[in-house]
Amino acid sequence: MKSLEETIMEVKKNLDQLKDLFLQSEKPPDRKDRELFEKVKRESKPLFELNEQWADLAEQYTYKVENSIVYPLQIKNTKENFELVILHSYYIDVPKKRYMELYNSIHYVLDQLLDSIEMNKKAGS
């Protein structure tokens, strides 16, 4: 099983790829198109699984570490935001400004988690 740090880095990489998809794609002509739905379902399944994985690990971490700078509610909200970004990246159904707010918010919390992990590593050594 991957560490929380490795999982976060994978989320960040996928998040960047989703942003590229959002910025480079055209809005689908028909959001109810069955082929599009199947494509989104197929391509997003591993992303939803990754989202579940990092959130579970992060939640365990915040309960285990006394001085975490990230709180369980932030993890819950970030998990939900990542789900939105996944879907918005395919359906292109929000303004770019809103998409970037979600994107930046997710990166911010992930970076805070990485900082917290690093601080606790140094404190433990």
Side-chain angles (χ1 to χ4, degrees):
M1 188 167 172
K2 290 182 190 167
S3 72
L4 176 56
E5 287 173 290
E6 292 170 321
T7 308
I8 289 171
M9 296 311 292
E10 189 175 343
V11 169
K12 288 171 72 69
K13 182 185 82 164
N14 281 281
L15 188 59
D16 291 342
Q17 291 171 346
L18 287 168
K19 181 184 85 169
D20 291 343
L21 178 66
F22 178 84
L23 294 175
Q24 295 170 4
S25 298
E26 294 291 321
K27 187 173 184 171
D30 180 11
R31 290 187 56 200
K32 295 181 177 143
D33 179 32
R34 186 76 185 160
E35 274 184 52
L36 175 63
F37 173 79
E38 291 299 327
K39 176 186 176 196
V40 171
K41 184 176 170 186
R42 183 178 56 254
E43 291 181 11
S44 66
K45 185 175 190 249
L47 297 170
F48 281 103
E49 290 169 357
L50 177 63
N51 191 29
E52 221 28 76
Q53 185 182 14
W54 89 263
D56 289 345
L57 290 170
E59 198 171 277
Q60 291 170 23
Y61 171 81
T62 59
Y63 287 122
K64 186 174 70 179
V65 174
E66 279 183 36
N67 59 347
S68 174
I69 55 178
V70 177
Y71 299 98
L73 183 59
Q74 287 174 287
I75 292 166
K76 179 182 176 284
N77 291 339
T78 302
K79 180 183 175 199
E80 290 171 3
N81 287 346
F82 190 49
E83 290 171 356
L84 290 172
V85 163
I86 292 168
L87 294 174
H88 292 324
S89 296
Y90 287 93
Y91 289 106
I92 326 292
D93 56 355
V94 294
K96 181 181 174 187
K97 181 178 189 241
R98 174 70 182 135
Y99 184 91
M100 293 309 294
E101 288 169 353
L102 291 167
Y103 170 87
N104 289 327
S105 173
I106 297 165
H107 266 295
Y108 177 79
V109 172
L110 295 176
D111 289 341
Q112 290 290 91
L113 260 172
L114 290 172
D115 290 347
S116 179
I117 294 166
E118 195 58 38
M119 281 184 345
N120 281 296
K121 276 184 182 176
K122 288 179 181 171
S125 55

